[in-house]
Amino acid sequence: MKKLADMLSAELGNAFEAAGYDPKYGKVTLSNRPDLCEYQCNGAMAAAKEYHKAPFMIADDVVNQLKESTLIAEVESVKPGFINMKVNAEFLAEYMNGMSSEESLGFEKAENPKTIIIDYGGANVAKPLHVGHLRTAIIGESVKRIARFAGDQVIGDVHLGDWGYQMGLIITELKKRKPELPYFDEAFEGEYPEEAPFTIDELEEIYPTASAYAKEHEEYKEEALHATYLLQNGHKGYTAIWNHIMRVSVADLKKNYANLNVEFDLWKGESDAQPYIPDMVEYLKKEGYAHYDDGALVIDVKEETDTKEIPPCMILKSDGASLYGTTDLATLIEREKLYHPDEVVYVVDKRQELHFVQVFRSARKAHIVRDDTKLQFIGFGTMNGKDGKPFKTREGGVMRLESLIGDIEERMYGKIMENRAISEEEARKTAKIVGLSAIKYGDLSNQASKDYVFDVDRFTSAEGNTGPYILYTVVRIKSILNKYKEAKSEPVKGIVKSAQAESEKNLMLELARFNEAIENAYTEKAPHKICAYVYELANAFNRFYHETKILAEENEERQASFISMLLLTKEVFEACIDMLGFEAPERM
Ligand code: ARG
């Protein structure tokens, strides 16, 4: 469906034209004085310059043309020349019913869907997920769901860090502990065991141990670096260990991401880019895009308009080893070959911005992507503790994701048990759902690029701009609908009648803004715009709820209209929170 503001703009445009002015002045926006009107048009102010006329005279002329409008109920010109209007209630009710009849609730899907790859998650294999990985997972998942709702073909890729030094460290530590394993026997000819020589718990212990040890012992570090080199060059035994690490680690990661309601279409990683590197290096050299500088192969990427120094993108170190930029470029080659994306979006810590500037410029310069392929970096800020410093555990260590989620769930569980008597099992289940909303909403309601304070008390509160507040509102609607169903009949959608009360009309006006809110969030890849919308909607609903006797309404037709509006409200909420990556429980 057309957006309400656009329909009103067209109506105003016609009125400007009928009154002898250019229709372009008809642009209508949401009122910034909701106490006076619902929508406004300031076009007469601008038109005054062109027509050398007082703005209020133009506004008066336009208002006179709108007397018969079926879209606009009240319209008036206000000095010095604003046009204030209220939407026709009957038209608004029809708009509600139009929304109900569409699966996308009035949002117009893209006519030419794009293929978009979203690179997010970015977990490093064999290292536990920590809070730094939380933001990319939450934001990336939401950006993915928004684009999918908008009709694009979206591919989410976790792009694991699975090829680096950490692998060499694990191999070296394993060799130290279990030198008798066949992977370390160069003469071994048989089949390697199917079973991994470690569990996930051991693996998570091996890495930090090895990493700490390497920092203190130069020889050990050299050995780990060499093991990394051998692995990257196809060493048979090490490749077998690598496969074990991948299987054990990825299974664990999948579990963790599933707990977050985060789902990837592709479980690729840096290692998948390796086969493309040799040819890419040859090509870059042959075409003259890359050159040797002090033994290292680099691509110059600085531009005249740069205000700060952009260093060259390193492709090969002087010892021939590839780097982070090398993998990212080669990954773009693979993505182009396999998926022909129109857009590749990276949701990564904003401290990596320079890296992506280098990679994007190199990719353009060397024509690794098509000229019209859009490359976008969504850099997010740091999640801080209440002390304003990066979030840590009480002991000061890096907080593991699992324990952070566990803490929030515990907190929610306590609140739920405190509030009412429900079974422990249901309380646990609900705490999980609501806890996730607290974490995700707390994150997504901030503009991604900003740092924010992870405030458990605030995020888990049922009041204010929080996930639990939104969920309480949805649960309230579900409960009314259930009671109506028990006492009367199945709720029917699409039978909303003209609003009679102000809070009722306001709720409809908020609902009507759904398509506009989603469009904004989609074009700007900004989930916080959905949060802002959903919060306004919750406020509008709760005001209506407190001022209206829904279940006690005696006029059946009016009651059925309320119920129909509630059904739509529920659907709009559910669509929004699904795009944010969480869901509502049945009860709370
Ligand atoms: N694994 C990286 C990290 O933990 C993030 C990867 C981001 N994606 C990319 N294509 N570079 O920092």
Side-chain angles (χ1 to χ4, degrees):
M1 285 164 79
K2 282 214 173 63
K3 284 169 284 180
L4 190 56
D6 288 351
M7 294 172 89
L8 295 171
S9 297
E11 187 87 341
L12 265 281
N14 288 339
F16 269 90
E17 195 164 31
Y21 307 103
D22 193 321
K24 74 175 183 208
Y25 293 113
K27 190 166 169 45
V28 170
T29 56
L30 207 60
S31 163
N32 52 23
R33 286 289 304 273
D35 51 324
L36 296 181
C37 63
E38 295 159 359
Y39 280 88
Q40 66 185 54
C41 169
N42 303 342
M45 305 293 287
K49 293 193 191 77
E50 182 180 335
Y51 297 101
H52 305 290
K53 228 174 170 179
F56 72 87
M57 288 174 73
I58 300 177
D60 273 344
D61 289 347
V62 174
V63 166
N64 276 331
Q65 299 293 331
L66 288 165
K67 296 274 183 267
E68 304 290 301
S69 170
T70 51
L71 267 62
I72 299 164
E74 288 169 42
V75 53
E76 57 173 0
S77 59
V78 185
K79 287 209 165 131
F82 300 116
I83 302 171
N84 289 351
M85 63 202 100
K86 289 192 177 169
V87 179
N88 179 301
E90 207 169 310
F91 162 72
L92 188 58
E94 273 165 33
Y95 198 89
M96 296 296 102
N97 296 330
M99 285 175 73
S100 292
S101 71
E102 290 184 11
E103 206 196 322
S104 59
L105 304 167
F107 175 84
E108 288 186 354
K109 296 204 183 243
E111 262 174 43
N112 303 306
K114 290 179 283 193
T115 299
I116 304 180
I117 293 182
I118 305 197
D119 179 316
Y120 70 111
N124 299 315
V125 168
K127 301 189 198 176
L129 284 176
H130 59 79
V131 294
H133 290 111
L134 185 63
R135 295 212 72 191
T136 168
I138 292 177
I139 300 166
E141 181 71 16
S142 181
V143 169
K144 181 187 82 179
R145 291 174 181 221
I146 294 168
R148 214 165 256 174
F149 184 86
D152 285 332
Q153 163 85 31
V154 194
I155 306 168
D157 181 6
V158 64
H159 197 76
L160 298 171
D162 61 357
W163 202 236
Y165 174 52
Q166 85 259 35
M167 296 299 186
L169 280 171
I170 293 167
I171 293 169
T172 305
E173 183 61 23
L174 200 61
K175 187 171 177 182
K176 190 169 130 195
R177 294 185 189 184
K178 302 182 183 169
E180 71 285 358
L181 288 174
Y183 313 99
F184 306 115
D185 175 2
E186 299 298 332
F188 185 77
E189 293 280 339
E191 292 271 325
Y192 291 117
E194 293 239 333
E195 184 116 359
F198 40 68
T199 63
I200 182 67
D201 291 331
E202 285 164 332
L203 195 55
E204 287 187 355
E205 176 272 315
I206 291 177
Y207 168 73
T209 308
S211 165
Y213 194 80
K215 285 194 185 112
E216 304 290 318
H217 301 84
E218 192 53 36
E219 236 168 80
Y220 184 92
K221 183 180 164 186
E222 286 302 323
E223 200 184 327
L225 282 169
H226 187 61
T228 311
Y229 173 85
L230 289 177
L231 168 70
Q232 295 186 346
N233 287 282
H235 185 285
K236 234 175 67 203
Y238 292 1
T239 304
I241 297 179
W242 181 83
N243 279 317
H244 285 309
I245 300 176
M246 289 300 287
R247 267 198 300 275
V248 169
S249 202
V250 167
D252 184 61
L253 282 170
K254 284 195 174 161
K255 201 184 75 205
N256 273 293
Y257 282 122
N259 274 335
L260 280 172
N261 236 349
V262 169
E263 219 174 283
F264 299 96
D265 305 289
L266 299 179
W267 280 83
K268 289 188 167 274
E270 294 175 354
S271 63
D272 290 282
Q274 298 310 308
Y276 296 89
I277 291 180
D279 284 352
M280 177 178 88
V281 167
E282 269 324 296
Y283 162 80
L284 292 173
K285 285 200 279 199
K286 196 173 118 241
E287 299 295 326
Y289 296 125
H291 63 90
Y292 281 98
D293 184 8
D294 221 0
L297 187 69
V298 302
I299 302 179
D300 274 332
V301 291
K302 61 171 187 278
E303 287 169 6
E304 262 175 35
T305 49
D306 288 343
T307 49
K308 59 172 192 252
E309 167 98 17
I310 306 289
C313 183
M314 292 259 275
I315 303 298
L316 295 179
K317 288 201 283 194
S318 44
D319 64 3
S322 57
L323 299 107
Y324 192 33
T326 326
T327 343
D328 267 328
L329 279 176
T331 302
L332 277 171
I333 294 182
E334 185 192 32
R335 287 175 175 164
E336 175 56 32
K337 183 173 159 212
L338 301 181
Y339 311 105
H340 299 292
D342 300 299
E343 262 179 54
V344 186
V345 181
Y346 299 80
V347 184
V348 186
D349 192 313
K350 71 178 174 198
R351 285 170 291 192
Q352 293 193 24
E353 179 161 19
L354 177 61
H355 164 78
F356 285 98
V357 170
Q358 293 171 316
V359 169
F360 292 178
R361 285 187 183 182
S362 301
R364 295 242 170 271
K365 183 171 173 177
H367 303 287
I368 279 175
V369 292
R370 288 172 284 135
D371 287 344
D372 57 358
T373 307
K374 191 171 155 196
L375 300 173
Q376 189 180 4
F377 172 66
I378 300 181
F380 54 81
T382 309
M383 181 174 132
N384 290 323
K386 271 186 170 169
D387 57 0
K389 301 204 188 92
F391 203 84
K392 293 266 160 69
T393 58
R394 245 169 267 139
E395 296 75 39
V398 176
M399 173 73 108
R400 289 188 45 173
L401 202 52
E402 267 178 301
S403 49
L404 175 123
I405 297 172
D407 284 358
I408 293 261
E409 275 177 28
E410 226 21 73
R411 185 78 68 100
M412 278 321 314
Y413 175 74
K415 285 191 187 210
I416 292 168
M417 288 305 258
E418 200 176 281
N419 284 350
R420 55 149 87 208
I422 56 172
S423 75
E424 196 181 313
E425 195 197 332
E426 187 177 351
R428 286 267 167 227
K429 229 176 88 194
T430 308
K432 208 172 143 115
I433 299 176
V434 184
L436 189 61
S437 83
I439 298 177
K440 288 196 165 186
Y441 194 94
D443 188 307
L444 293 171
S445 52
N446 303 286
Q447 200 176 323
S449 61
K450 298 225 166 88
D451 297 348
Y452 76 97
V453 173
F454 192 86
D455 182 340
V456 181
D457 294 319
R458 190 165 77 72
F459 290 1
T460 56
S461 166
E463 275 145 48
N465 191 7
T466 68
Y469 169 64
I470 304 301
L471 294 191
Y472 268 110
T473 308
V474 182
V475 165
R476 173 170 283 163
I477 298 174
K478 288 188 181 183
S479 144
I480 303 170
L481 289 171
N482 281 334
K483 284 189 186 137
Y484 178 83
K485 191 173 157 181
E486 275 163 27
K488 291 253 168 83
S489 56
E490 189 71 43
V492 177
K493 56 182 195 174
I495 52 167
V496 174
K497 296 273 177 318
S498 303
Q500 292 176 19
E502 199 194 304
S503 63
E504 184 187 1
K505 191 172 182 198
N506 273 337
L507 175 55
M508 292 194 199
L509 286 167
E510 278 305 330
L511 288 167
R513 280 182 50 226
F514 171 73
N515 49 12
E516 185 182 322
I518 301 307
E519 188 176 287
N520 287 337
Y522 168 64
T523 39
E524 292 171 39
K525 299 202 171 66
H528 73 278
K529 303 231 153 164
I530 295 186
C531 291
Y533 170 68
V534 126
Y535 182 53
E536 294 287 321
L537 183 63
N539 288 340
F541 173 77
N542 285 316
R543 217 186 106 207
F544 164 75
Y545 168 78
H546 288 298
E547 291 179 10
T548 316
K549 292 200 173 56
I550 302 171
L551 290 169
E553 171 62 50
E554 281 168 10
N555 179 328
E556 299 265 332
E557 193 182 68
R558 189 153 161 70
Q559 186 179 47
S561 168
F562 289 157
I563 292 296
S564 199
M565 181 165 69
L566 256 60
L567 268 182
L568 177 62
T569 311
K570 178 172 96 82
E571 285 185 11
V572 168
F573 269 121
E574 283 172 344
C576 289
I577 63 176
D578 185 59
M579 282 184 256
L580 297 175
F582 56 89
E583 56 188 19
E586 284 312 305
R587 300 194 293 162
M588 260 166 96

